[in-house]
Amino acid sequence: MAAMTDTPRWISVTLSWSRLLPIARVALVSAFLIGGIQKLADFPAAVAEQADFGLEPAWLWAAAAIIGELGGSALVIIGRWAWLGAGGLGVLTVVSMLVANNFWAQRGHDRFTATNAFFEQLGVIAGLVLITVLSLRDQQRG
């Protein structure tokens, strides 16, 4: 007897496509990849950005951001140690949320914008958790 599902067949077929998960992994970490590449290409600007957020020593925070963004993204994309890559990106995102999107300390339109960005980043963290769960399931299957 076939399992009952409320998912239309064409969606099930699409979600079963073997290339979908690798594409989704790249899409999930694309902002981190771009950010890491931009920081690496213009390290002085990356240092200035960290200093603007009050993170000192700014050069160390910039270097950590580059390593975290590029290294974490690579681990998520290849699916090896995805928990480490996603965890690092998640921590980086939490720091960003608290430093750059502190909506509770802002007013007016700035508060509106920061609130949206804060919760969008929370959604990215949830996506990182989900990709880690999928990676664990794949490993357990063998």
Side-chain angles (χ1 to χ4, degrees):
M1 182 173 188
M4 295 294 292
T5 178
D6 62 352
T7 306
R9 174 140 175 76
W10 69 273
I11 292 178
S12 293
V13 168
T14 302
L15 293 175
S16 298
W17 184 46
S18 64
R19 297 188 195 270
L20 183 62
L21 188 55
I23 291 169
R25 288 175 184 273
V26 172
L28 178 62
V29 300
S30 62
F32 298 108
L33 281 172
I34 292 167
I37 291 167
Q38 287 178 323
K39 287 176 182 71
L40 189 60
D42 190 353
F43 190 71
V47 172
E49 177 186 45
Q50 302 306 313
D52 284 346
F53 291 133
L55 299 172
E56 294 294 338
W59 68 268
L60 182 60
W61 282 96
I66 292 167
I67 292 166
E69 287 178 334
L70 297 179
S73 294
L75 293 174
V76 168
I77 289 169
I78 63 174
R80 298 283 306 197
W81 293 2
W83 60 270
L84 180 60
L89 293 172
V91 169
L92 186 67
T93 303
V94 167
V95 170
S96 173
M97 290 167 68
L98 298 175
V99 172
N101 295 311
N102 57 341
F103 64 89
W104 53 90
Q106 299 180 27
R107 303 236 183 277
H109 183 70
D110 289 341
R111 181 182 181 115
F112 176 82
T113 303
T115 301
N116 283 339
F118 184 94
F119 286 99
E120 286 171 357
Q121 289 182 324
L122 185 61
V124 169
I125 292 171
L128 292 166
V129 169
L130 291 173
I131 206 70
T132 303
V133 169
L134 289 173
S135 294
L136 178 62
R137 287 184 183 169
D138 285 348
Q139 290 173 4
Q140 289 174 338
R141 284 190 202 134

